[in-house]
Amino acid sequence: MVTIPLTLVKSSRTWRESARCAEVDPELFFPLSGESSEPAKKICRRCEVRADCLQDSLDRGERSGVRGGLTARERRSLRRRRRQEAAA
């Protein structure tokens, strides 16, 4: 029997296939006005590809939902801080 190292198995999968959010209802990541984003963030906190997800969301300029553990408002704030740091 051949044993494949876990690192090789992980590298052959895309980050999206490894995301914990793929295991739950996607609607959870798009809370309605007044609903808490905490259930989605809780899933993100346990996700091994959180950083990849966040970076993808920032690269795409996504304007809604919880991605990489941050709400759309939090991502806008992060983009703004990064621009200010880059300008300084």
Side-chain angles (χ1 to χ4, degrees), residues 10 13 17 25 27-28 41 51 60 65 67 71 82:
K10 283 188 174 186
R13 296 174 60 184
E17 293 170 323
D25 182 357
E27 292 299 315
L28 180 68
K41 288 180 168 189
R60 293 172 180 264
R67 294 284 310 273
T71 64
R82 285 182 175 180

Side-chain angles (χ1 to χ4, degrees), residues 9-10 12-20 22-23 48-49:
V9 173
K10 283 188 174 186
S12 67
R13 296 174 60 184
T14 69
W15 70 263
R16 290 178 191 269
E17 293 170 323
S18 298
R20 286 202 177 250
E23 302 169 6
E48 63 186 45
V49 296

Side-chain angles (χ1 to χ4, degrees), residues 21-38:
C21 60
E23 302 169 6
V24 299
D25 182 357
E27 292 299 315
L28 180 68
F29 295 87
F30 296 92
L32 299 175
S33 181
E35 290 182 342
S36 174
S37 61
E38 192 53 35

